[in-house]
């Protein structure tokens, strides 16, 4: 750790002051966009099926529309990287997200719901990519648990929105649940409003003849390919559980157990990213990613294999304790490999997986949710196999490029002896 970091100085490209302020802003953005805007559909789904006439097939299509929108937002960040550094895009996305949540109760038309969830998915992806890029970029030189607590905002949003729906379902209908979730998202958007996105990388003049632009960086394409495959498969498997877990538990255990289990999943998710990040610092990231995926697969399969409230609550806890941790580890591994636009590319692959997940599960929902959860567990185990491949020869230490100093004629050359090592 450098001397400046020990004194609490800002990381490269960051604003001065405590990094916790930036963590709190990013956590609020992720809580609004993901925890509420994205995942509040899970606890509201049983209410819509019971009181709005939503069929299991239509429920899967609404989920797919949201994930298709998420893919659109992720691809926009991939091909238009300026969007991921725009405060205006962040604020506009938060406003549109709140509007889509508030508009859901205004109609019973499935086609309109599909459009609203599509738009909500696109803007939630924009907020996610902006917030995560900012976290990983501005806190690069700080301990890894700091970005982890930022990711924990997703869990906080899940817990808050799940608790909100749990309270409302006793005396209100599905419409009130959507309006309350819109108010919660608006409240969380307030601290996120002033978050500073990641700055554009500095440009340098052309190097002098015979002087390379920068030292060669080890090619990491094969490791990134395995990481991309693992994270895409995780998108397929986790989203089946993330969409239907509450409905599955409610089907086997009448009452409020499903909503309560979802709140537990959110609570377990809050510290999980920071804890998995610490483990990733002590052990190999591929090893920790593999462990998280195996634990998640067990958690998803539990309610399909074992009946009763204990299995349901254990499933929710294990799911919540791993799904954000997997994202933290995968995105951090992509940043470690220094693959160009790794956050946006991994998020795009994850989004494709999330579109395929509900589509693959839809034919299995006619007789309940057991087969869908087993499918999800098997796909997450396949993601674990890809993480196992990632372990082979993984470059645990990646030396950063040498800083450049002005040379004759205004060009830039590497600074000798400037290596600081990497983690």
């Amino acid at each position: 750790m450098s001397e400046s970091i020990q004194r609490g100085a800002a990381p490269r490209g960051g604003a001065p002051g405590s990094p916790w302020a930036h963590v709190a802003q990013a956590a609020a953005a992720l809580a609004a966009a993901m925890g509420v805007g994205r995942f509040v559909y899970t606890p509201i789904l049983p209410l819509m099926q019971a009181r709005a006439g939503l069929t299991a097939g239509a429920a899967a299509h609404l989920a797919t529309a949201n994930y298709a929108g998420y893919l659109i937002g992720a691809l926009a960040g991939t091909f238009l990287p300026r969007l991921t550094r725009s405060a205006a895009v962040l604020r506009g996305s938060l406003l549109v997200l709140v509007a889509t949540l508030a508009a859901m109760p205004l109609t019973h038309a499935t086609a309109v719901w599909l459009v609203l969830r599509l738009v909500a998915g696109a803007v939630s992806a924009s907020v996610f990519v902006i917030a995560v890029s900012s976290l990983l970029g501005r806190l690069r030189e700080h301990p890894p648990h700091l970005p982890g607590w930022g990711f924990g905002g997703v869990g906080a949003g899940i817990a808050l929105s799940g608790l909100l729906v749990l309270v409302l379902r006793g005396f209100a209908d599905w419409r009130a649940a959507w309006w309350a979730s819109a108010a919660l998202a608006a409240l969380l958007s307030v601290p996120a409003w002033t978050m500073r996105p990641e700055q554009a990388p500095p440009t340098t003049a052309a190097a002098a003849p015979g002087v390379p632009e920068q030292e060669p960086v080890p090619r990491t394409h094969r490791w990134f390919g395995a990481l991309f495959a693992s994270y895409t498969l995780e998108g397929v498997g986790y989203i089946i559980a993330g969409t239907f877990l509450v409905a599955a538990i409610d089907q086997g255990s009448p009452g409020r157990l499903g909503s309560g289990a979802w709140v537990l999943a959110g609570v377990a998710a809050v510290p999980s990213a920071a804890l998995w990040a610490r483990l990733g610092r002590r052990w190999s990231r591929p090893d920790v990613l593999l462990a998280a995926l195996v634990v998640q697969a067990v958690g998803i399969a539990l309610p399909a294999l074992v009946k009763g409230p204990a299995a349901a609550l254990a499933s929710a806890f294990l799911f919540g304790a791993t799904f954000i941790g997997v994202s933290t580890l995968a995105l951090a591994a992509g940043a470690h490999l220094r693959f160009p636009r790794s956050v946006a590319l991994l998020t795009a692959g994850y989004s494709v997986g999330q579109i395929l997940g509900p589509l693959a599960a839809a034919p299995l929902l006619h007789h309940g949710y057991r087969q869908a959860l087993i499918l999800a567990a098997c796909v997450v185990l396949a993601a674990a196999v890809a993480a196992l491949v990632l372990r082979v020869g993984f470059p645990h230490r990646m030396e950063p490029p040498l800083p450049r100093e002005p040379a004759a004629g205004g060009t830039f050359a590497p600074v000798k002896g400037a290596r600081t090592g990497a983690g």
Side-chain angles (χ1 to χ4, degrees), residues 175-258:
R175 297 180 185 86
W178 280 110
W179 281 323
S181 68
L184 177 59
L187 185 64
L188 290 168
S189 297
V190 173
W193 194 258
T194 55
M195 186 182 72
R196 296 176 58 193
E198 184 183 23
Q199 296 175 353
T203 57
T204 61
V211 178
E213 281 294 315
Q214 63 179 27
E215 284 195 344
V217 175
R219 293 180 65 84
T220 58
H221 292 74
R222 68 186 182 95
W223 293 293
F224 187 82
L227 177 64
F228 184 85
S230 178
Y231 199 49
T232 300
L233 288 169
E234 159 69 359
V236 175
Y238 112 91
I239 204 58
I240 296 175
T243 302
F244 302 114
L245 185 61
V246 172
I249 294 174
D250 275 350
Q251 188 178 60
S253 305
R256 301 187 179 185
L257 182 61

Side-chain angles (χ1 to χ4, degrees), residues 150-176:
F151 275 92
V154 179
I158 288 173
L160 289 171
S161 60
L163 184 61
L164 192 64
V165 175
L166 179 62
V167 171
L168 288 173
R169 68 182 295 173
F171 61 89
D173 64 3
W174 62 274
R175 297 180 185 86

Side-chain angles (χ1 to χ4, degrees), residues 22-400:
H22 190 69
V23 169
Q25 290 178 317
L30 293 175
M34 304 295 293
V36 182
R38 190 92 183 278
F39 287 112
V40 75
Y41 177 67
T42 299
I44 294 179
L45 173 58
L47 297 178
M48 296 184 72
Q49 289 179 316
R51 303 177 190 179
L54 187 68
T55 65
H61 293 151
L62 285 180
T64 300
N66 186 251
Y67 309 143
Y70 196 80
L71 175 61
I72 293 171
L75 289 176
T78 301
F79 294 109
L80 300 171
R82 289 183 180 180
L83 297 180
T84 67
R85 299 188 291 268
S86 171
V89 171
L90 170 68
R91 294 169 184 173
S93 296
L94 290 171
L95 289 175
V96 172
L97 179 72
V98 172
T100 61
L101 294 173
M104 285 293 288
L106 301 180
T107 180
H108 277 77
T110 303
V112 178
W113 285 342
L114 287 169
V115 173
L116 290 173
R117 295 309 290 161
L118 178 78
V119 174
V123 294
S124 66
S126 296
V127 175
F128 180 83
V129 173
I130 291 171
V132 171
S133 297
S134 182
L135 271 176
L136 296 180
R138 292 181 178 276
L139 302 181
R140 185 176 293 116
E141 295 181 5
H142 286 281
H145 71 273
L146 285 178
W149 285 111
F151 275 92
V154 179
I158 288 173
L160 289 171
S161 60
L163 184 61
L164 192 64
V165 175
L166 179 62
V167 171
L168 288 173
R169 68 182 295 173
F171 61 89
D173 64 3
W174 62 274
R175 297 180 185 86
W178 280 110
W179 281 323
S181 68
L184 177 59
L187 185 64
L188 290 168
S189 297
V190 173
W193 194 258
T194 55
M195 186 182 72
R196 296 176 58 193
E198 184 183 23
Q199 296 175 353
T203 57
T204 61
V211 178
E213 281 294 315
Q214 63 179 27
E215 284 195 344
V217 175
R219 293 180 65 84
T220 58
H221 292 74
R222 68 186 182 95
W223 293 293
F224 187 82
L227 177 64
F228 184 85
S230 178
Y231 199 49
T232 300
L233 288 169
E234 159 69 359
V236 175
Y238 112 91
I239 204 58
I240 296 175
T243 302
F244 302 114
L245 185 61
V246 172
I249 294 174
D250 275 350
Q251 188 178 60
S253 305
R256 301 187 179 185
L257 182 61
S259 295
W262 189 244
V263 173
L264 177 61
V267 171
V270 173
S272 67
L275 294 176
W276 285 109
R278 283 186 180 274
L279 292 176
R281 192 73 171 176
R282 296 187 62 181
W283 289 287
S284 161
R285 276 199 188 100
D287 287 340
V288 179
L289 178 61
L290 172 62
L293 289 167
V294 171
V295 171
Q296 185 183 110
V298 172
I300 292 173
L302 261 179
L305 301 177
V306 182
K307 294 183 178 180
L313 293 175
S315 170
F317 179 83
L318 293 177
F319 178 76
T322 53
F323 83 95
I324 299 177
V326 168
S327 290
T328 306
L329 292 166
L331 295 176
H336 170 78
L337 292 172
R338 296 206 300 276
F339 198 86
R341 296 196 292 273
S342 63
V343 171
L345 286 170
L346 288 169
T347 302
Y350 197 62
S351 303
V352 171
Q354 291 174 132
I355 294 172
L356 297 176
L359 292 176
L364 306 176
L365 300 178
H366 299 295
H367 304 290
Y369 297 95
R370 180 176 177 273
Q371 292 179 323
L373 293 180
I374 291 176
L375 171 65
C378 291
V379 175
V380 173
L381 284 177
V385 172
L388 190 64
V389 174
L390 180 66
R391 295 176 68 248
V392 180
F394 186 80
H396 299 293
R397 296 187 65 84
M398 290 283 292
E399 293 294 332

